[in-house]
Structure formats: C-alpha cells, structure tokens
Amino acid sequence: MIKSRLISLHGGHSGQFCCHAEDRLEDLVQAYIDKGFKAVGISEHMPPPEEKFLYPDEIKNGLTLKDLEVRFALYFKELDRLQSIYKKEIRIFKGFETETVSGSADRVRAFIRQFKPDYIVGSVHHVYDRCFDYSAQDYEQILSQAGSVQDLYIAYFDAQYDMILELKPFVVGHFDLIRIFDPDFEEHMELLPVRKRIQRNLALVRKLGLVLDYNLRPLWRKEKAPYLAPVILEQAKALKIPVVPGDDAHSREQAGMFVSRAVETLEQMGFSTQWPRPIVLTNV
C-alpha cells in the first residue's frame, strides 16, 4: 500500500514533455511536495504508433514521430533523476498514459520493455482512430460519423473493453471520458446498450483487479462531476473496485488540485483510501 493520504496516479503532464501542458516536470514534483503529497504517479502521454495520430498541437510545433520518441526517452531519464533527487520527500511512480488506436497495443508493450515503468494508465482518447476529446468540433464530427450519441458511446466503451482486456492497465484512466462534450451525458449513460457496456467493462476491471481513475480535471473546467460520473462511482463501490484520485494536472498550478476533496468524497462513500501500489500487469 502507498503511505500517503494525498495521491494522484494520473497526471503530471508538463510543458517539458507535452505540448498542451505548462511548466517543467520538476516544477510539478515540487508542487506536490509543497502540498503534502508523499507519493505521486506521473503518467505522460506515449508517442502514437504512426505519424497520422499526432495531435494538432504537436503538428503546430513542427514535431515528428521521431521527435516524440526522443522526448519520451528523455521523460523517463528525467523521472529517474527526480526520483533520486526527491526520494526523501516523495515517492514517484514512473508511468505513462496509453493511446488506443490501430497498432497502439504493440507500441505499449515495446515501451514497457524499453523503459520498464512502474505502471501504465490505460486511456481511450480515440474512436474510429479519430481523437474525440481535443475539441468540441472534433467531437461533433466523430458524433456525425457514429450516427448517434448511443452509437458513439457504444464504440467508445467497446474500444475501452478491448484495451482493458489486452493491456490490463493498473489504472483505467477517465473511464467515462466520452461524455466530455455531451451536456446530457447522464441521460445517455442510462441508455440500455450503453449501460450494459458500462457494467460489462466495470466487471472486467473488477475481475482483473485493476484500479479506476477518479479523474478530477472536469472540476478544473468547472464541470459538475469528475470522471467517474456519480452513477459509475456508485457501481464501482458496489463491485468493490478500488478508486484512486487523479488530478490529470497539466501545470504546476494544477498539481494536486481537488485531491483533498476527492479523498474526502471517497471516504464518505466507504471506499478504502489505503491506496494500492502500482504494478505492471501487461504481458510483454
């Protein structure tokens, strides 16, 4: 177990290694220490398997796939340095956040072999190999391709199921991210085909002994609920699935944001706050 009441196992994105983040990674680590964290997981985005999956901000900055690979290697080198420097103040768990596109599973395994992370965060940002969470415009275009909100949600949760089954990520990242630009998500998650897939995916998380990310980034955007939505959080509780806060921080300012509130919420609901220690479960 992790000996720290305050924890984040999803986040630590920095401008040093992520185009849509700010500040140096060391700045974020120092912020966690200043806020009383004794342990934190850092999970930067992995490079995609092909150039066509680069994010718009990466393209805007003139980066190539090779550039991202070099930067990713430097990221793990920096994590090693920070672990050594700050080992008396904070336990840093080295991780990375997956993509879920064609060819990504083999890419994840290769990175695990190469960099030997402490754990991975399994996330889905794409449906039909198209990123849906970068902008509302992108989301609407992919929704149009899906044909209906129900079909979009189905495609997302099916992709998530396959990712969980194949990669067995210690942390399942922002489980219900597909609702990011959907103001009526509570209604849509109650649609029978969607609800069945949510229940199926949660059952798989429980069976494999994985952890759900209680992702707090929506609170920073002043939205009404973190990922997990309340209905999913209640199901996780009923299934006795461990739920661990993730600030999904993209700057020093955001490091540790809302984590105290999240811990209190989980305690009040009856979740254990004896946080499980991250491990790699993916077969390589």
Side-chain angles (χ1 to χ4, degrees):
M1 296 298 175
I2 300 174
K3 295 181 179 180
S4 179
R5 186 170 188 272
L6 299 177
I7 191 69
S8 171
L9 289 184
H10 184 178
H13 302 295
S14 68
Q16 191 174 357
F17 300 108
C18 176
C19 291
H20 57 273
E22 301 173 7
D23 303 319
R24 299 177 307 148
L25 183 54
E26 187 167 2
D27 295 331
L28 272 70
V29 169
Q30 290 173 344
Y32 286 118
I33 294 170
D34 292 343
K35 294 177 182 180
F37 283 66
K38 300 301 181 184
V40 69
I42 306 295
S43 55
E44 191 56 85
H45 295 281
M46 63 174 272
E50 295 183 56
E51 200 99 16
K52 66 180 181 180
F53 295 120
L54 264 61
Y55 286 104
D57 51 24
E58 294 165 344
I59 296 171
K60 182 179 179 180
N61 281 277
L63 297 176
T64 66
L65 186 57
K66 181 62 177 177
D67 293 330
L68 297 184
E69 292 168 347
V70 170
R71 188 174 72 176
F72 199 55
L74 291 174
Y75 160 71
F76 278 100
K77 185 176 180 180
E78 177 67 355
L79 279 178
D80 288 337
R81 185 183 76 87
L82 295 175
Q83 279 184 327
S84 177
I85 291 175
Y86 295 103
K87 61 185 177 182
K88 292 183 179 179
E89 289 105 326
I90 192 168
R91 176 75 180 273
I92 300 173
F93 294 100
K94 298 187 298 182
F96 68 87
E97 184 178 3
T98 73
E99 298 293 356
T100 303
V101 295
S102 297
S104 59
D106 288 341
R107 187 80 155 157
V108 169
R109 293 188 181 92
F111 285 142
I112 290 174
R113 288 193 297 269
Q114 182 177 358
F115 298 112
K116 298 176 175 56
D118 296 316
Y119 73 112
I120 61 173
V121 175
S123 295
V124 179
H125 302 99
H126 297 72
V127 172
Y128 314 128
D129 274 352
R130 298 178 63 184
C131 180
F132 65 81
D133 73 330
Y134 193 82
S135 71
Q137 181 180 4
D138 291 339
Y139 189 90
E140 288 300 322
Q141 290 176 353
I142 298 169
L143 174 57
S144 178
Q145 181 179 347
S148 70
V149 173
Q150 176 174 291
D151 287 336
L152 177 64
Y153 275 53
I154 286 172
Y156 171 83
F157 284 113
D158 284 350
Q160 184 184 71
Y161 180 85
D162 292 341
M163 179 275 295
I164 294 170
L165 191 62
E166 187 160 22
L167 295 181
K168 301 176 181 62
F170 182 78
V171 176
V172 178
H174 38 54
F175 182 90
D176 48 339
L177 180 65
I178 192 60
R179 66 174 169 90
I180 184 169
F181 295 113
D182 178 13
D184 302 315
F185 68 87
E186 292 166 315
E187 173 187 342
H188 294 142
M189 286 195 294
E190 289 298 328
L191 295 168
L192 183 59
V194 176
R195 189 166 75 245
K196 285 185 175 179
R197 282 166 170 80
I198 290 172
Q199 293 168 344
R200 175 200 63 187
N201 290 15
L202 290 174
L204 181 61
V205 170
R206 177 70 179 91
K207 177 182 178 181
L208 296 176
L210 309 180
V211 169
L212 288 175
D213 169 36
Y214 193 35
N215 190 289
L216 307 171
R217 190 157 180 78
L219 300 182
W220 176 77
R221 295 193 295 259
K222 302 188 184 305
E223 298 172 19
K224 59 183 177 181
Y227 312 115
L228 314 154
V231 65
I232 298 177
L233 193 58
E234 289 287 354
Q235 292 179 64
K237 179 187 173 185
L239 290 169
K240 299 182 180 180
I241 298 172
V243 174
V244 179
D247 59 21
D248 210 344
H250 283 65
S251 69
R252 176 187 177 92
E253 178 188 5
Q254 296 169 14
M257 62 179 181
F258 305 112
V259 169
S260 292
R261 184 198 304 183
V263 172
E264 290 174 3
T265 298
L266 294 174
E267 287 176 335
Q268 290 168 3
M269 291 185 66
F271 283 95
S272 171
T273 54
Q274 297 294 307
W275 315 120
R277 184 181 180 279
I279 58 173
V280 171
L281 298 169
T282 305
N283 294 322
V284 296

